[in-house]
Amino acid sequence: MQRLSSVALLLVGCGRTGLDATSSTLTVLADASTVDGATTEGGRCLLFDLTPPVLYVTTSAPGNVLPGDFAGDGSIDILVDEGQGDPGELFTNDAKGAFSQKPLQASAANNYGNAVTGDFNGDGRLDIASQANGMLGIDFGMGGGALLSTLTSIATPYQEGLLAQGDFNGDGRPDLAFAGVTMGPSPVGGRGLPGPVPIAFGLVVYLNSGEGTFSSPATYTSATTISSLATGDFNGDGHLDLVAAAGDALAVYINAGDGTFGDALLVHVSGLGPYGLAVADFDSDGLDDIATTTVTDADAGSLDVLEVFTSRAGGTLYAPIADVLVSSPQFGELVAGDFNGDGLPDLATAFAGSRGGTTVASAPVAVFLNQGGGVFGGAVTYATRTDGLPTIQSFASADFNGDGVPDLVVATGNEDFESPNEVAVLLSRCAQR
C-alpha cells in the first residue's frame, strides 16, 4: 500500500470557502506595480521567493535551533543546540540577516534540544527554559549573548518531553507547559522485541510566580504520549489554550482563564496520527487555528496532503474540507508565518532526510501560501544545499533581517553518516519579474 502523509489544518470558526485548495497559482491583481524589479501591489508581494541559502558551519552536529534576541540589540540571533554536555553555539545577527559565530556562554548541563525562550524573571532579557532527565531548568539571560551558568532547576514528574510557553493566567508573566513521558522496559523481553516503552505520561503546567520561580505544577491526563505541543486561543475568550498531538488525535485543552485547563477535547485526524503543530488565524475569523502533519499509511510513499479543518467557537473542530497533494519523502516540523507579506499566515515545513529509503539530497523546505479563507496553495520547495546527504535536525522561523517578514533557518547534519553540519538561513523576499 502507498503511504500518504498529510498536513491537517484545523480552523476555529464557522467560515468555509470554495477556493481551490490544490492550486499553487497566486492571482496577480490589477494595478500592480514594480519595485526594484519585483511585482508588488499595495506593499503586498504578489510573487513570493526565498533567497539562496547562506550556510554556516557548526562545530558539532546541530540539534535544535532557537531564534531570539540573545544579544539584546533588537535583532534576532540563532542559538544552536549541539547536545547535552556541550553548551552549543550562538550566531549573532548583524541586523541585516547575516550572522557571526561564537561559543555560547552558558551552562554545559542544559538541554537546548528541548527548550523554549521567554523573559521568565521579568528583567527585560531573554531567558531559556529547558528540560531533560526529570529536571526543568531556567538559564537567565545576562545580556550580550551570555546566559547565567547556574541553572535554576525544578523536578518534573516525567523524565523527558516537550515544552511550550505562554501567559496562561493573564498576569503578564510567561508560564510553562510540559508534555512529559517516562520510559520503562518492555513488559516482554527477548531478542528482536521492542525496547523501552512509555510507562507514564501527561501534561503539566507550571505558573510563573515571579522572578523566574514557578508554582507547584498542575497535571492533566493524556490518553497517550504527546508528540507535539502548542498554544493558541481556540475559543476566542482571550486566554491561551493548549493543543497536543497525541496518538491519532489532536487534544485541545481549554483554559478556564486562571491558568487551569479542562479535559481534552479530541479530534481524530486521518492516518497514523498528528505530529508537528503550527497555530495561527489561518481563515481570518479572529480565532486561532491548528495545522498539523500526519502520516496516513505505514508503507513507503511519496504523497503528502494538506487538510483544512474548521472549528466551532467552543474549541471543537470540524472535519477537513480541502486537500493539497504534495510529492515529498517526509514532512518534518511545521511553522506558520506571513512569508509573502499579504497579511495572511502561511505554512512552511522542512522535509526530513528520508522516508522508505528515499533520500532528499538538497534537504528542501516547502512553503504553502495562504490563498485566503484558510485555503492553501501547493507546496513551493527550496533547496538548502546542492551536495551531500544532510539530515534535517530542526527548523524554525523568525524575522532575521528586520523587514517585517519572517525568514527560515534549517539545521542539517548527522555525524554518524558524515553529512555536513550546518545551519542554513533563507530570507523571504519578493520575487523578480
Side-chain angles (χ1 to χ4, degrees), residues 201-298:
F201 40 81
L203 179 64
V204 185
V205 174
Y206 298 84
L207 297 180
N208 193 332
S209 301
E211 298 184 353
T213 62
F214 291 83
S215 63
S216 299
T219 301
Y220 301 89
T221 60
S222 173
T224 184
T225 56
I226 293 172
S227 60
S228 191
L229 183 66
T231 66
D233 181 8
F234 304 118
N235 61 349
D237 64 356
H239 305 296
L240 277 182
D241 309 307
L242 289 164
V243 58
D248 64 349
L250 291 174
V252 177
Y253 296 83
I254 297 299
N255 192 338
D258 57 358
T260 62
F261 295 83
D263 294 337
L265 304 174
L266 300 179
V267 57
H268 294 271
V269 301
S270 59
L272 302 181
Y275 297 100
L277 292 174
V279 172
D281 181 10
F282 296 114
D283 62 350
S284 304
D285 67 351
L287 301 175
D288 282 333
D289 311 311
I290 306 165
T292 184
T293 58
T294 71
V295 178
T296 58
D297 196 293

Side-chain angles (χ1 to χ4, degrees), residues 5-27:
S5 297
S6 64
V7 175
L9 181 66
L10 298 100
L11 299 176
V12 183
C14 299
R16 293 179 180 263
T17 177
L19 294 177
D20 179 10
T22 63
S23 172
S24 60
T25 302
L26 294 179
T27 301

